[in-house]
Amino acid sequence: MGVIRHVVCAMSGGVDSSVAALLLRKRGYSVTGVFMKNWDSLDERGVCTTEKDCEDAYRVCQFLDIPFHQVSYVKEYWHEVFSNLLAEYEKGRTPNPDILCNKHIKFNHFHKYALSTLGADAMATGHYARTSQEDEEVFQQSHRAPPTTLFRDRFEIRNLRLFQGADLLKDQTFFLSQISQDALRQTMFPLSGLTKEFVKKIATEAGFHHILKKKESMGICFIGERNFEKFLLEYLEPKPGNFVSIEDGTVMGTHKGWFTLTLGQRARIGGQRNAWFVVDKDVSTGNVFVAPTTNHPALFRDTMRTDRFHWIAVDPPPDLARTQMMECYFRFIHQMPLTPCTVTLNMDGSVWISLSQPLRALTPGQFAVLYRGGECLGSGKIIQLGPSAYTLQQGREQGTAVAQHKEQQTPEPPS
C-alpha cells in the first residue's frame, strides 16, 4: 500500500462538508476536520449559530473518528472581507462577500494553515466544483515561485483550470472565481462528480441526521441571515437622501442611506400605494432613483467594465490574448442562467463585456464571472455600467425630435 496522504477538510457543520470528509475517509486518506470561526456575534434572534455549527462539525468528526480543530479568522475576516464590504457600500456598490471570503480566508489563510501548521498534503472543501487534475495529482504539486520574466517557460506545467461540478444547479464555481492557482493546486473537491440529492442520500445512510435537518445557509458568508438595513446601520452612519423618480425627477420619499439599497430591489417608500424599484444611485447627492415597474427599461443594460480581471489559469485565454476579443458566457448572480457575451481585453487587464441581450439590475460591486465549455475562466468586479435601455430610448426620442425640428425649420427652396 502506498503512503497514506493527510488531507485537512474544511468543516462547516453542514451536509456538504460532512460528506466530503466521509468520502475522503472512505478513500483511505488520513483526514483532519477543521472548523473556521470568522464572525463574532449573535444573529437576529440572539443565537450564536457559530457555536451550534461548530458542535455539529465536531459530532461528525467524532463519528468518523478523525481529529477535530477550530481556528479563528475573526480579525482577518474583518480586515480583508468585512471592511472591504463596508467601503464598497459607501461607494454605492453592492459587494459579494462570499467570493471575497473564499479568496482571502478559505483559500488563503486556511489553505496556509492546513498545509503549514497542520502539515497536510492537501486541503479539501465541500464545494460542488472540479479541477483539471485528478485527486492523486494534487499530492504531486510542489510550490512554484511565480515567474520573474514577462513570459513563462512554455515547457513548464500548465496552470490548472476550474470546471463546473456534475450538479449544474448546485455548481459553486461562481464563488471560487477569485481563488489563486497555488490554493487550487492543493485543493480536493470530493463532491465534484455528485449531485446534491446523492450527497443527501450518502449523509442519510451514514446517519448524519443532526445535519440533514438544518436548512441551507443563505445569509452573508459566516454572518448569516439578518435584517440587512438594520445590520448595515450598526456599522455605517445614516446618510438620508431622497427617492427620485427616474422619469420626471419628482421626489417620491426619503431613505436612510444609499448603501442600504441595491439596484433592482423594491424601494419601501412611505405613502406610495404602488411598487417602485431602485434603478440607479448618485452617491454625490444621496439621491436614489426609482422607477414604477419591476421591469422598467432603466433597469436593463447590456454592457459593463470590470476592474483587472482575475483569470483562474493566470493568463487570459490564448484567443483573447491574441485578438483582444472573445465569445463566452456570463453571469453575475449564482445560479442565474448563463448569457452569451463578447469580451474585450483592455491594456490594463480590465475587460469590457457586451451581452447578447440586456439583463436586469446589473450591479457595480458584483463580480462578472465568465464561463466557456463548462470551465469557469475567472471573474472581475463590475466597476462601470453602460447606458440603460431607458437612457438609449430617451436618446433616440430626442434625436428624432431634433431631426423633426430641423426639418420644420428648413426653408422651402425657391421654386
Side-chain angles (χ1 to χ4, degrees):
M1 187 174 172
V3 178
I4 295 177
R5 306 289 189 178
H6 180 203
V7 181
V8 166
C9 186
M11 305 287 287
S12 67
V15 66
D16 296 329
S17 59
S18 299
V19 170
L22 170 66
L23 294 175
L24 291 167
R25 190 88 167 86
K26 283 185 172 179
R27 290 180 199 169
Y29 296 120
S30 168
V31 183
T32 297
V34 179
F35 180 84
M36 280 175 275
K37 182 181 181 183
N38 298 317
W39 189 254
D40 212 359
S41 83
L42 307 179
D43 68 10
E44 294 285 300
R45 297 155 296 178
V47 177
C48 185
T49 54
T50 303
E51 288 180 11
K52 178 71 171 68
D53 291 337
C54 183
E55 183 186 318
D56 290 338
Y58 174 63
R59 284 178 64 184
V60 170
C61 289
Q62 276 189 312
F63 178 87
L64 296 175
D65 192 25
I66 62 175
F68 174 77
H69 293 263
Q70 293 182 61
V71 63
S72 174
Y73 293 120
V74 170
K75 184 173 70 174
E76 291 84 352
Y77 186 88
W78 178 273
H79 289 298
E80 297 175 45
V81 179
F82 194 68
S83 294
N84 174 284
L85 176 139
L86 295 179
E88 286 288 282
Y89 274 113
E90 286 202 294
K91 290 174 186 171
R93 298 173 180 165
T94 302
N96 191 312
D98 299 279
I99 288 178
L100 294 175
C101 180
N102 279 323
K103 177 179 182 175
H104 296 296
I105 308 299
K106 290 180 189 171
F107 291 87
N108 182 24
H109 293 295
F110 179 79
H111 167 247
K112 290 171 183 171
Y113 171 80
L115 274 70
S116 301
T117 305
L118 296 183
D121 299 300
M123 64 172 268
T125 72
H127 287 100
Y128 290 80
R130 65 186 175 92
T131 70
S132 54
Q133 70 183 353
E134 298 295 326
D135 283 352
E136 282 304 310
E137 292 175 27
V138 175
F139 305 111
Q140 296 160 20
Q141 304 298 329
S142 56
H143 176 75
R144 297 175 305 134
T148 53
T149 56
L150 184 61
F151 298 101
R152 292 173 301 149
D153 179 356
R154 65 191 179 94
F155 297 109
E156 74 177 355
I157 301 170
R158 284 190 174 277
N159 281 330
L160 286 193
R161 295 156 73 189
L162 179 67
F163 291 93
Q164 294 175 287
D167 190 336
L168 292 180
L169 290 175
K170 186 61 182 171
D171 168 57
Q172 290 170 304
T173 51
F174 178 87
F175 299 115
L176 303 175
S177 60
Q178 282 273 315
I179 66 175
S180 71
Q181 269 288 312
D182 268 353
L184 199 59
R185 283 185 178 280
Q186 295 164 317
T187 299
M188 300 168 74
F189 297 117
L191 309 186
S192 61
L194 306 179
T195 64
K196 180 73 177 190
E197 285 309 306
F198 195 68
V199 167
K200 286 181 178 178
K201 186 169 182 279
I202 293 171
T204 302
E205 291 174 354
F208 294 163
H209 303 298
H210 68 293
I211 55 175
L212 282 164
K213 295 171 187 171
K214 297 169 75 169
K215 67 174 185 174
E216 294 275 308
S217 57
M218 298 296 288
I220 303 173
C221 182
F222 289 112
I223 296 174
E225 294 184 63
R226 47 185 78 229
N227 179 310
F228 195 62
E229 179 180 295
K230 184 179 171 186
F231 176 69
L232 267 185
L233 288 170
E234 290 176 21
Y235 299 94
L236 297 175
E237 286 292 320
K239 293 184 179 174
N242 292 324
F243 283 118
V244 178
S245 168
I246 192 75
E247 294 188 339
D248 59 15
T250 303
V251 174
M252 309 299 297
T254 59
H255 58 79
K256 294 178 182 176
W258 63 82
F259 46 80
T260 66
L261 300 152
T262 190
L263 303 192
Q265 79 170 79
R266 182 170 177 172
R268 293 182 177 84
I269 307 175
Q272 293 294 326
R273 291 175 60 186
N274 298 323
W276 287 75
F277 295 85
V278 177
V279 297
D280 209 349
K281 296 190 272 188
D282 186 340
V283 174
S284 63
T285 63
N287 287 339
V288 171
F289 295 95
V290 291
T293 59
T294 185
N295 286 320
H296 193 278
L299 272 170
F300 288 81
R301 301 170 193 259
D302 61 7
T303 55
M304 75 208 84
R305 185 169 73 89
T306 71
D307 62 0
R308 186 175 183 82
F309 203 86
H310 174 81
W311 301 101
I312 297 288
V314 181
D315 295 323
D319 52 334
L320 179 61
R322 188 174 61 253
T323 67
Q324 273 70 59
M325 195 168 283
M326 174 182 75
E327 306 287 324
C328 59
Y329 292 86
F330 160 91
R331 67 164 49 121
F332 73 105
I333 298 172
H334 175 49
Q335 292 184 328
M336 73 175 283
L338 290 171
T339 302
C341 68
T342 301
V343 176
T344 306
L345 182 63
N346 301 318
M347 291 293 289
D348 61 359
S350 66
V351 300
W352 273 104
I353 300 172
S354 300
L355 305 175
S356 62
Q357 63 188 68
L359 290 182
R360 184 183 185 276
L362 288 173
T363 306
Q366 291 287 294
F367 282 86
V369 184
L370 299 180
Y371 291 84
R372 188 164 65 171
E375 178 184 359
C376 176
L377 300 173
S379 65
K381 184 169 66 180
I382 300 170
I383 58 172
Q384 184 181 349
L385 298 178
S388 71
Y390 183 66
T391 300
L392 294 172
Q393 180 183 310
Q394 282 188 310
R396 284 193 296 270
E397 289 172 357
Q398 287 174 1
T400 302
V402 168
Q404 288 174 344
H405 180 70
K406 281 184 177 178
E407 280 181 22
Q408 291 168 359
Q409 296 299 312
T410 304
E412 290 279 331
S415 54

